[in-house]
Amino acid sequence: MLIGESGSEAITAQDLADWAGTIPYEIFTNINMRVPRVYITEDIT
C-alpha cells in the first residue's frame, strides 16, 4: 500500500509530499493511470 492505514500506522499524501519535497496535489496527479487502484470502504449500514 502506498497511501493508507495498516494497523496503527498510516501514510498520507502529505507524508509522501513532505518526503518528496512537493505538495499532496502532485502526489495524486502524478500516479500513472496504469497503476491499479484498490478502494476499500467500510460498510456503515
Side-chain angles (χ1 to χ4, degrees):
M1 180 182 324
L2 181 63
I3 299 173
E5 296 179 17
S6 179
S8 63
E9 296 184 14
I11 298 176
T12 66
Q14 183 65 56
D15 292 331
L16 293 176
D18 291 343
W19 295 328
T22 187
I23 60 175
Y25 175 82
E26 288 188 345
I27 297 299
F28 284 115
T29 58
N30 286 323
I31 297 175
N32 192 303
M33 291 304 296
R34 291 180 292 177
V35 175
R37 275 105 169 129
V38 178
Y39 299 95
I40 302 171
T41 61
E42 293 183 32
D43 185 25
I44 55 172
T45 58

